Amino acid sequence: MVIASEVLAKAAFRAGFEVSSFPFFGVERRGAPVTAYARMDTKPIRIRSSIYEPDYVVLLDNTLLRGVDILEGLKPEGKVLMNYPDGKMLEGLPAKYKYYVLDATTIAAAHHIGSQVAPIVNTSIMGGFARMCEFIPLDAVLESIREMAPVKKEDNVAAAKEAYERTREVTL
């Protein structure tokens, strides 16, 4: 998630926004959930705190739907992007938000990003974010991925493009 928020911040900067990106590590243990933030604005950003009322929430690991309030503070017109298996129905979420899903795990595995057992989904998720978000163009996301991906740059770009095409809004 940390790399994904940095890719997003770089893409937003390319699109002409002021940006700020930073991670938050809670419990210091392997496998603990990590939160990362990206702020984007047309004006200079002077706030350096966590984001308590986000416009968007991005969920890389859908197992966090059990036990973590991923919607905490989300604005009433907020949008949620989830890495969620194809064909599985979303249940138990409030209908007041817009939900977008893509199977980023399958996409990352198909493009050999990470391993088959542990695919790395961050670039796929950013392709999905470009689809969900109305102000950051896919081209800016792809250029940021090319700049930041340490290896397999074009595989990561291809995964983001596929994710962009496969991201869909779901109604509850």
Side-chain angles (χ1 to χ4, degrees), residues 11-59:
F13 185 77
R14 279 186 165 84
F17 290 91
E18 298 288 324
V19 298
S20 172
S21 172
F22 54 96
F24 173 76
F25 300 97
V27 178
E28 302 240 0
R29 67 173 171 82
R30 188 168 183 80
V34 173
T35 303
Y37 302 94
R39 264 195 184 89
M40 298 156 268
D41 203 330
T42 55
K43 302 176 295 241
I45 296 172
R46 302 201 193 309
I47 299 171
R48 301 285 182 228
S49 67
S50 297
I51 298 173
Y52 299 104
E53 294 181 330
D55 295 298
Y56 301 92
V57 170
V58 178
L59 183 65

Side-chain angles (χ1 to χ4, degrees), residues 110-132:
H111 290 276
H112 307 288
I113 302 168
S115 69
Q116 293 299 311
V117 175
I120 299 171
V121 300
N122 53 8
T123 53
S124 298
I125 278 290
M126 287 300 93
F129 190 86
R131 169 65 95 190
M132 175 183 72

Side-chain angles (χ1 to χ4, degrees), residues 7-148:
V7 167
L8 177 59
K10 286 182 180 287
F13 185 77
R14 279 186 165 84
F17 290 91
E18 298 288 324
V19 298
S20 172
S21 172
F22 54 96
F24 173 76
F25 300 97
V27 178
E28 302 240 0
R29 67 173 171 82
R30 188 168 183 80
V34 173
T35 303
Y37 302 94
R39 264 195 184 89
M40 298 156 268
D41 203 330
T42 55
K43 302 176 295 241
I45 296 172
R46 302 201 193 309
I47 299 171
R48 301 285 182 228
S49 67
S50 297
I51 298 173
Y52 299 104
E53 294 181 330
D55 295 298
Y56 301 92
V57 170
V58 178
L59 183 65
L60 274 65
D61 179 358
N62 67 61
T63 64
L64 294 176
L65 288 169
R66 295 182 306 274
V68 176
D69 183 4
I70 66 157
L71 304 175
E72 182 179 2
L74 184 61
K75 291 181 180 174
E77 299 297 318
K79 295 180 180 181
V80 181
L81 173 64
M82 291 185 273
N83 176 12
Y84 206 75
D86 283 337
K88 188 174 175 187
M89 295 297 296
L90 277 177
E91 296 176 1
L93 295 170
K96 64 182 176 179
Y97 304 116
K98 290 186 178 184
Y99 298 94
Y100 296 79
V101 296
L102 76 143
D103 192 344
T105 301
T106 299
I107 293 169
H111 290 276
H112 307 288
I113 302 168
S115 69
Q116 293 299 311
V117 175
I120 299 171
V121 300
N122 53 8
T123 53
S124 298
I125 278 290
M126 287 300 93
F129 190 86
R131 169 65 95 190
M132 175 183 72
C133 173
E134 58 278 351
F135 58 87
I136 298 182
L138 179 61
D139 288 343
V141 170
L142 300 179
E143 275 306 305
S144 296
I145 290 170
R146 281 188 184 98
E147 179 184 330
M148 294 200 62

